[in-house]
C-alpha cells in the first residue's frame, strides 16, 4: 500500500471514531433531559399514595379512639369502685378454755397477754431463771406479776424450770377441775384408735370423757444464749435444746421411756398416770424467720421425735397486746425490738409413736422376756438335767 493510501485510511478511522464519540455524548445528553421529568412524576405519585394512606388511617382510627376512651372510663370507674381486701392475720392458736403451759418465759408478758387480753382461763407460766434473776433482768416483771396474781384464780408462775425436763416436775402436771369433761379427743381431732362404739353413746352422739394432760405447750423464741461465737456450735446446741424439749413433752426423754410407751400403745393399755400432753395436743414454737434460726430445721427435728407438723404461719406480735420480746440477757438500752423482726409460729401435734426397726426388735425381745423368758442355752439345760438326776 502506498503512503498516500495509508494516510487516507488513518483519517477515515479518526473521523469514524469522532462520530461514535459524538453519538455517545448526544445519547447521554438526551437521557439527562428525560430523567428529571420521570423523577418528578414518580415523586408526585408517591405523594398522592401517602396522602391517600393518611386519610384512610384517620378514618379507621376514629372509632378505636372512642372505644379506647370508653374502655378507659370503664377502667377508671372499676378502679374507683374496687376496694383492695385487707390482709387478715392468722387467728391465734389458743382457746379460752384450753389448758396452756408456757415454757421459757422472760418477763411473762406473753402469759399476761393470753390471760388478760385473750381471756385464757387455764394458763401456767414458767421461766428458766430464778425469781431473783427475773427481777434483776426485767424491770416490767413486777407490774406484770402483780396483775397476774390479782386475777381470780391467780395465774401460776414457776421459776427455775428447765424446758428440757419439763415433764419431770410434779408441780407442773396439768390440774383439771373435778368433773371437767370434753368431747373425746378421738372424735374431736379425728385421731385415736378407739372404735365408734367406745366413743359414742346409745344415741350415736360423741361420748364425753375426761381429758387429761395439757392441750397446748408453748415455747416462745427458745435459745440457749451465747454459748459460743461459732455458728455451727450454736445451731447444734439449739437443736439439742429443741429435741430435748420435744422429748420431755412426749415423756420420752430416754430410749427406755420410748420403748415403754410403744409397748403400752401396742397393747392398748391405759398409762399408769395421766399424760403430760394429751393425745392430739399441740406444741407451739416461735422462732425468728432468718438465719441462724432457719438453720435449726425445726420441722425435721419435730418429725424425728414423732410429732406431726400441722402448720406454720407468720407471728404478729400486735395480736398480743402488752407483749414485748425480751432478750435472754435481760433488758438492754439498744433500741432493738424483737417484735419488729419477722418470726414464724410452728404448730406440731402429738400423735401415736411409730417404732423403727431397732425398737420393734427390742419390743419383741421384751415381750418374750415378759412371758417367762426365752429358751436357755444347751449347756444350762444339760447342767439342770444332771443336777436333777443326782
Amino acid at each position: 500500500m502506498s503512503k498516500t493510501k495509508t494516510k487516507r485510511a488513518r483519517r477515515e478511522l479518526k473521523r469514524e471514531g469522532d462520530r461514535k464519540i459524538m453519538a455517545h455524548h448526544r445519547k447521554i445528553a438526551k437521557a439527562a433531559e428525560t430523567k428529571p421529568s420521570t423523577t418528578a412524576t414518580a415523586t408526585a405519585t408517591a405523594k398522592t399514595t401517602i396522602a391517600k394512606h393518611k386519610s384512610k388511617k384517620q378514618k379507621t382510627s376514629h372509632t378505636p379512639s372512642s372505644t379506647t376512651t370508653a374502655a378507659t372510663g370503664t377502667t377508671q370507674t372499676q378502679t374507683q369502685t374496687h376496694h383492695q381486701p385487707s390482709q387478715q392475720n392468722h387467728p391465734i392458736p389458743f382457746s379460752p378454755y384450753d389448758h396452756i403451759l408456757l415454757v421459757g418465759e422472760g418477763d411473762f408478758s406473753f402469759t399476761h397477754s393470753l390471760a388478760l387480753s385473750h381471756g385464757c382461763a387455764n394458763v401456767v407460766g414458767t421461766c428458766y431463771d430464778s425469781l431473783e434473776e427475773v427481777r434483776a433482768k426485767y424491770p416490767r416483771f413486777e407490774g406484770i406479776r402483780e396483775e397476774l396474781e390479782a386475777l381470780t384464780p391467780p395465774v401460776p408462775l414457776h421459776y427455775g424450770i428447765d424446758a428440757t425436763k419439763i415433764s419431770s416436775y410434779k408441780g407442773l402436771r396439768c390440774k383439771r377441775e373435778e368433773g371437767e369433761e370434753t368431747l373425746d379427743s378421738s372424735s374431736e381431732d379425728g385421731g385415736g384408735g378407739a372404735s365408734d362404739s367406745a366413743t359414742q353413746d346409745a344415741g350415736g352422739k360423741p361420748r364425753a370423757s375426761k381429758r387429761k394432760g395439757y392441750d397446748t405447750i408453748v415455747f416462745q423464741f427458745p435459745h440457749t444464749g451465747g454459748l459460743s461465737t461459732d455458728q455451727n456450735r450454736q445451731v447444734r446446741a439449739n437443736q439439742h435444746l429443741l429435741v430435748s424439749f420435744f422429748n420431755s413433752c412426749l415423756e420420752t426423754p430416754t430410749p427406755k421411756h420410748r420403748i415403754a410407751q410403744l409397748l403400752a400403745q401396742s397393747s392398748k393399755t391405759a398409762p399408769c398416770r395421766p399424760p403430760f400432753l394429751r393425745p392430739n395436743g399441740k406444741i407451739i414454737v416461735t422462732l425468728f424467720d432468718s438465719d441462724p434460726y432457719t438453720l435449726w430445721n425445726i420441722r425435721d427435728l419435730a418429725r424425728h421425735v414423732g410429732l406431726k407438723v400441722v402448720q406454720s404461719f407468720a407471728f404478729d406480735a400486735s395480736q398480743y397486746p402488752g407483749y414485748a420480746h425480751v432478750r435472754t440477757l435481760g433488758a438492754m438500752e439498744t433500741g432493738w425490738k424483737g417484735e419488729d423482726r419477722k418470726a414464724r409460729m410452728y404448730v406440731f401435734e402429738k400423735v401415736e409413736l411409730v417404732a423403727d426397726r431397732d425398737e420393734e426388735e427390742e419390743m419383741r425381745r421384751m415381750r418374750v422376756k415378759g412371758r417367762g423368758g426365752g429358751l436357755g442355752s444347751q449347756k444350762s439345760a444339760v447342767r439342770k438335767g444332771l443336777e436333777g438326776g443326782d
Side-chain angles (χ1 to χ4, degrees):
M1 178 180 281
S2 63
K3 188 180 292 186
T4 304
K5 290 182 178 180
T6 303
K7 290 181 179 180
R8 187 184 300 166
R10 288 178 179 174
R11 285 194 296 270
E12 289 178 357
L13 288 174
K14 186 177 179 181
R15 291 191 193 102
E16 183 67 20
D18 292 338
R19 284 195 297 268
K20 289 182 178 180
I21 292 172
M22 290 299 295
H24 178 68
H25 284 300
R26 283 194 298 269
K27 187 176 180 180
I28 292 175
K30 188 176 181 179
E33 291 175 357
T34 58
K35 189 173 182 180
S37 61
T38 306
T39 305
T41 305
T43 304
T45 305
K47 288 182 178 179
T48 305
T49 305
I50 293 172
K52 290 181 179 180
H53 180 70
K54 285 184 177 180
S55 61
K56 185 176 180 181
K57 186 175 181 181
Q58 290 175 356
K59 290 180 181 180
T60 56
S61 63
H62 178 70
T63 304
S65 63
S66 60
T67 306
T68 305
T69 305
T72 305
T74 305
T75 305
Q76 291 176 353
T77 305
Q78 291 177 353
T79 305
Q80 292 175 357
T81 58
H82 178 69
H83 297 283
Q84 186 72 18
S86 59
Q87 186 176 1
Q88 296 181 353
N89 294 325
H90 192 282
I92 66 169
F94 306 106
S95 172
Y97 299 103
D98 283 349
H99 286 256
I100 304 170
L101 175 65
L102 299 173
V103 180
E105 284 285 87
D107 60 0
F108 293 92
S109 61
F110 195 76
T111 305
H112 181 274
S113 180
L114 289 185
L116 275 73
S117 299
H118 294 287
C120 296
N122 304 296
V123 180
V124 178
T126 70
C127 70
Y128 181 73
D129 296 322
S130 65
L131 176 58
E132 291 73 18
E133 289 173 330
V134 176
R135 283 173 173 166
K137 284 183 178 181
Y138 310 112
R140 297 179 56 205
F141 165 69
E142 284 297 339
I144 292 173
R145 180 190 179 191
E146 291 176 1
E147 292 186 17
L148 292 176
E149 290 181 346
L151 296 176
T152 305
V155 176
L157 302 180
H158 299 267
Y159 311 94
I161 303 299
D162 188 349
T164 62
K165 304 174 183 178
I166 193 68
S167 60
S168 64
Y169 297 94
K170 294 182 179 180
L172 288 180
R173 307 299 297 190
C174 182
K175 299 179 179 64
R176 295 180 181 266
E177 295 180 2
E178 194 68 26
E180 182 180 357
E181 294 183 348
T182 59
L183 293 180
D184 187 84
S185 60
S186 60
S187 62
E188 180 184 1
D189 298 314
S195 62
D196 293 339
S197 60
T199 60
Q200 295 179 356
D201 57 15
K205 296 181 180 180
R207 180 177 298 169
S209 61
K210 291 184 179 180
R211 178 183 291 176
K212 300 177 181 180
Y214 285 104
D215 298 298
T216 306
I217 300 177
V218 186
F219 201 164
Q220 287 289 100
F221 301 98
H223 200 277
T224 58
L227 298 179
S228 172
T229 56
D230 183 79
Q231 180 171 286
N232 292 331
R233 290 184 179 180
Q234 282 279 36
V235 169
R236 288 193 295 270
N238 285 285
Q239 286 178 331
H240 177 71
L241 168 65
L242 287 173
V243 170
S244 300
F245 164 68
F246 289 149
N247 279 325
S248 185
C249 292
L250 299 177
E251 297 178 277
T252 57
T254 64
K256 182 179 178 181
H257 288 84
R258 183 178 172 88
I259 292 294
Q261 283 208 25
L262 286 169
L263 286 171
Q265 182 179 285
S266 62
S267 61
K268 304 296 182 182
T269 58
C272 58
R273 64 176 181 176
F276 191 75
L277 176 66
R278 70 170 179 85
N280 302 110
K282 303 295 189 297
I283 297 177
I284 298 177
V285 180
T286 306
L287 297 175
F288 288 121
D289 195 12
S290 61
D291 287 345
Y293 306 95
T294 53
L295 300 177
W296 298 0
N297 297 323
I298 186 172
R299 293 185 181 91
D300 293 337
L301 299 179
R303 293 189 188 100
H304 177 72
V305 301
L307 291 170
K308 175 185 176 181
V309 180
V310 178
Q311 62 178 338
S312 71
F313 49 87
F315 172 72
D316 186 3
S318 64
Q319 290 182 288
Y320 303 90
Y323 166 72
H325 184 89
V326 293
R327 287 184 166 183
T328 307
L329 299 176
M332 302 175 67
E333 297 295 334
T334 59
W336 180 87
K337 288 187 177 181
E339 54 269 26
D340 293 339
R341 296 178 61 182
K342 290 184 178 180
R344 294 194 71 79
M345 255 188 176
Y346 298 88
V347 182
F348 309 103
E349 182 181 352
K350 179 183 178 181
V351 294
E352 287 191 350
L353 299 176
V354 179
D356 58 23
R357 183 180 301 176
D358 294 337
E359 290 171 341
E360 288 179 352
E361 184 64 29
E362 179 65 18
M363 290 166 61
R364 191 179 300 110
R365 188 188 66 80
M366 294 183 69
R367 289 193 189 99
V368 172
K369 186 177 180 180
R371 290 196 296 265
L375 295 176
S377 64
Q378 186 176 0
K379 288 184 178 180
S380 62
V382 171
R383 190 183 307 111
K384 288 182 180 180
L386 292 175
E387 291 175 355
D390 294 339

